Amino acid sequence: MENSRILQLGILALALNLPIAASGQGSQVEGILKHTNGYLTVYPYNASYDDGSFVKAYYDGNNKRLLFMNSASGVITGLYAGRIIATDNVGIGTSNPQEKLSVNGNIRAKEVKVETANWPDYVFKEGYDLMPLAELGAHIKAHGRLPGIPSAGEVEANGIELAEMNRKLLEKVEELTLHLIEKDRELASYGVLIAEQEAGIAELRTNQGRFEAALRKLENTINR
């Protein structure tokens, strides 16, 4: 509701001791300020814009907060000491947020905590269906990406869900770890096999030396 958004600006203008007026769609909407039952309420003044909308502001002394309300959605914003609480979607750099917080720009933070479920511990559980490397190679050749990972086009169009992508990436790391463990076992078994073969070759060489020595002895006996 356009009037509600304009009248919210009127409340903020009041807090800054500015005239209770705001521009919208090339026109100006003036507000009537009333104080009733502890509320400061702004109504449209111009009858041509009056659609029954309003904005209220009041101070909640118990919780030490300033609340802003409108006729469309009830409490929309609460200003605490050092905090802002909003019940509707909040947009920064965008006028039409589709999520609880939409930011059209960069975000800088020291830490971001993302809550998620189904963390891929299941990869290390007995009976996990690990894709064979040959099948994995065929999938990569056919699709140009790992199984379960979105394509570049999908990411460009829809972005990524940070929690889900972290889960998938860890799943791939754990699957890679299983493949490495399996290859390490194979290499270890090859090492044992090679050692046994080398021992067999050494024994054959020893026996060959003994056979050659016996053959020379026999030749010397015959030639006497």
Side-chain angles (χ1 to χ4, degrees):
M1 189 178 295
E2 183 64 27
N3 283 350
S4 294
R5 288 193 289 270
I6 294 172
L7 292 176
Q8 291 171 41
L9 296 177
I11 288 291
L12 296 177
L14 175 66
L16 297 174
N17 294 321
L18 298 175
I20 307 301
S23 296
Q25 296 182 344
S27 302
Q28 188 179 71
V29 177
E30 297 179 351
I32 299 176
L33 177 64
K34 293 184 178 181
H35 180 271
T36 307
N37 297 326
Y39 291 91
L40 289 175
T41 307
V42 179
Y43 298 91
Y45 178 76
N46 190 329
S48 63
Y49 283 90
D50 190 358
D51 58 2
S53 62
F54 61 83
V55 173
K56 292 183 179 182
Y58 72 97
Y59 179 69
D60 179 2
N62 293 329
N63 296 299
K64 302 296 186 296
R65 60 181 179 173
L66 179 63
L67 296 178
F68 294 88
M69 306 172 63
N70 67 19
S71 55
S73 59
V75 177
I76 56 172
T77 306
L79 301 180
Y80 295 74
R83 291 185 295 163
I84 298 177
I85 307 299
T87 58
D88 206 348
N89 293 344
V90 176
I92 301 176
T94 176
S95 60
N96 187 30
Q98 300 300 310
E99 294 81 18
K100 283 299 181 182
L101 176 61
S102 294
V103 179
N104 183 19
N106 298 330
I107 299 175
R108 180 173 180 174
K110 292 184 178 180
E111 180 68 28
V112 177
K113 182 176 182 180
V114 179
E115 296 181 358
T116 186
N118 197 30
W119 205 238
D121 291 350
Y122 52 80
V123 174
F124 293 142
K125 290 185 177 180
E126 190 71 26
Y128 178 73
D129 187 16
L130 183 64
M131 181 179 290
L133 286 177
E135 186 177 341
L136 179 61
H139 184 280
I140 294 173
K141 184 176 181 180
H143 302 283
R145 61 184 182 274
L146 291 171
I149 300 299
S151 67
E154 292 171 331
V155 172
E156 290 174 3
N158 306 317
I160 61 171
E161 296 181 1
L162 187 58
E164 178 63 12
M165 182 54 63
N166 281 341
R167 186 193 68 79
K168 288 183 176 180
L169 291 177
L170 180 59
E171 179 186 81
K172 300 310 171 188
V173 169
E174 292 183 351
E175 289 176 346
L176 176 61
T177 302
L178 290 180
H179 282 301
L180 288 174
I181 291 173
E182 180 62 28
K183 290 304 175 184
D184 184 68
R185 289 173 180 167
E186 291 181 3
L187 288 175
S189 64
Y190 292 151
V192 172
L193 179 61
I194 292 172
E196 292 176 349
Q197 290 176 343
E198 289 177 346
I201 292 172
E203 184 177 357
L204 288 175
R205 287 175 177 172
T206 300
N207 292 335
Q208 181 181 6
R210 291 174 180 173
F211 176 77
E212 291 175 349
L215 182 59
R216 286 194 297 270
K217 185 178 181 179
L218 179 60
E219 288 176 347
N220 291 333
T221 302
I222 294 174
N223 293 331
R224 287 179 184 176

